[in-house]
Amino acid sequence: MTGLFSLLKQGSMSSLIAAIVNFILGCLKFGAYVITGNVAMFAEMMHSFGDAANQFFVFVGSAVSKKKPNERFPFGYGRLVNIVCLFAVLIVAILAYETILEGIHHITNPVHHEQPLNHFLIAAGVLLIGIFLEIGVLYKAGKEVLEEAHKPTTGLHPLTTSYLNIAKAKPATKLVFMEDTVATGGGVIALLAIIIARYTGFVQIEGIVSVIIGLAMFYVVYKVFMENAAGAIGRADEEMEVHASKVILEHPEVSDIKRLVVMKEGEDKHIEALIEVRNHEFNLRQLTEIKKEITNNLLQQPHVTDVNIEIMEDDGLDDWKSGNGSSINRNIYE
């Protein structure tokens, strides 16, 4: 049991915080929906409960993925977080479908009645609370995005420049950030919808907003599914390949890189390289020292957990051109 708790401590904190906040918001929105019958509130309730379940699964998956490699799983559990994210988005997809269905029903069969003032104030108050809490979670997730991208995290950067660096974030952090972006935006348009519906009588707008929120949820499902499907299969990290090549070529005895690949295993990165050395007269001890120095330099890079370096003599060909190894990586398994 102690081992389980120590493992859970390594999980994505942004996922855990988001799960707790969204569950609380889901309960508040459920109560508001029961009292008011507001369809925009229904959409927000479904969204919050979907996010809570989703992010809790991601938290558990990100924690278990930190489990150390063993004989049965020699490459570790890194891809588990991708598998969990794939399972989690199925929940969001189901809730998104129900949200759209309810919105369409409200558009085609609108109920025209004046909403009591206390119902309106309850709905508006819950949505306002939700918006502020979601912004807090979004700020926290944005800060983690920037930390993982090694960018400044002060001021408004987590709510601005984090969008430019989202591709560099871990799968769990990226999922939370994208979901809370949609949740914050959904809360704002849901609030506008109930205000417009009350003061103009255009009650169909609540259904329209419900459909918009559902479609936004489907967009998150698509993006997260495609990202984590590739991660579960195992994909190359081309940006890291270029960076790793620079680290390797900085060594004075390395003349060229014959082939290089960086494979992502969840949050972890594994590097395999075949390098060429300048001096053909190196003995085994010298070659081992070169290999050790390059391996240690690569292991200092973010999220790199495993490095496999092979050495060959310089063949006189320029295989790695301008730091772009795309042609090499395409032929790595040939």
Side-chain angles (χ1 to χ4, degrees):
M1 187 63 70
T2 305
L4 176 61
F5 283 121
S6 62
L7 201 60
L8 289 176
K9 288 179 182 179
Q10 300 179 54
S12 170
M13 285 299 107
S14 62
S15 297
L16 180 60
I17 293 170
I20 294 170
V21 169
N22 277 292
F23 179 75
I24 294 171
L25 285 177
C27 292
L28 289 174
K29 291 171 183 177
F30 174 72
Y33 171 68
V34 170
I35 294 171
T36 65
N38 188 290
V39 71
M41 185 63 68
F42 173 83
E44 277 295 290
M45 176 197 73
M46 295 290 276
H47 193 178
S48 292
F49 279 135
D51 282 355
N54 201 357
Q55 289 154 351
F56 179 73
F57 281 125
V58 171
F59 165 69
V60 174
S62 65
V64 177
S65 69
K66 301 293 194 306
K67 193 174 180 181
K68 294 181 179 180
N70 51 43
E71 291 184 4
R72 189 175 181 184
F73 299 100
F75 291 104
Y77 295 77
R79 296 190 193 186
L80 185 61
V81 68
N82 298 115
I83 297 171
V84 170
C85 285
L86 288 175
F87 175 76
V89 295
L90 293 179
I91 299 174
V92 180
I94 294 170
L95 295 177
Y97 171 76
E98 292 294 334
T99 300
I100 292 173
L101 205 63
E102 184 69 19
I104 292 173
H105 176 74
H106 192 74
I107 294 170
T108 55
N109 300 282
V111 179
H112 295 273
H113 63 83
E114 186 174 347
Q115 189 181 44
L117 179 61
N118 63 328
H119 286 190
F120 168 75
L121 292 176
I122 289 171
V126 168
L127 287 173
L128 273 174
I129 292 171
I131 290 169
F132 283 114
L133 288 177
E134 291 288 6
I135 290 174
V137 175
L138 183 62
Y139 187 90
K140 167 68 175 172
K143 193 171 182 179
E144 287 195 16
V145 168
L146 294 176
E147 286 173 353
E148 291 163 13
H150 304 285
K151 301 291 183 180
T153 61
T154 55
L156 293 176
H157 285 294
L159 298 177
T160 53
T161 56
S162 51
Y163 288 95
L164 302 176
N165 296 279
I166 186 64
K168 300 176 182 178
K170 298 177 183 178
T173 308
K174 188 181 299 185
L175 182 88
V176 173
F177 186 77
M178 290 180 64
E179 285 189 339
D180 278 289
T181 296
V182 173
T184 304
V188 171
I189 63 173
L191 179 60
L192 292 175
I194 66 171
I195 293 173
I196 293 171
R198 176 170 179 80
Y199 292 105
T200 67
F202 181 44
V203 295
Q204 290 93 335
I205 193 171
E206 293 178 3
I208 293 171
V209 165
S210 182
V211 172
I212 292 172
I213 292 172
L215 291 174
M217 291 166 71
F218 267 124
Y219 174 75
V220 172
V221 167
Y222 167 76
K223 293 291 289 183
V224 173
F225 180 86
M226 295 302 292
E227 172 101 10
N228 287 280
I233 296 170
R235 67 174 184 184
D237 187 333
E238 295 182 359
E239 183 179 349
M240 187 60 189
E241 285 171 4
V242 174
H243 180 68
S245 71
K246 294 177 180 177
V247 174
I248 294 171
L249 292 171
E250 282 177 356
H251 195 283
E253 301 300 341
V254 175
S255 59
D256 197 8
I257 301 174
K258 191 69 175 178
R259 63 176 185 262
L260 169 67
V261 67
V262 179
M263 186 68 69
K264 294 186 72 173
E265 295 271 354
E267 299 172 4
D268 299 334
K269 297 176 182 179
H270 304 277
I271 300 177
E272 293 188 10
L274 175 60
I275 63 175
E276 300 175 12
V277 294
R278 303 181 191 280
N279 191 340
H280 294 187
E281 304 300 325
F282 281 133
N283 58 39
L284 182 58
R285 177 177 291 182
Q286 291 171 320
L287 291 174
T288 301
E289 189 61 30
I290 293 171
K291 180 178 178 179
K292 182 180 178 181
E293 290 174 1
I294 296 173
T295 299
N296 289 337
N297 290 338
L298 289 172
L299 286 172
Q300 292 175 13
Q301 308 309 309
H303 310 305
V304 175
T305 58
D306 180 61
V307 176
N308 182 23
I309 301 290
E310 295 181 26
I311 299 176
M312 64 176 287
E313 64 181 18
D314 194 339
D315 60 5
L317 300 176
D318 187 10
D319 294 301
W320 193 268
K321 299 178 180 179
S322 302
N324 180 5
S326 58
S327 61
I328 298 171
N329 293 327
R330 298 293 76 79
N331 299 321
I332 189 168
Y333 297 114
E334 291 182 2

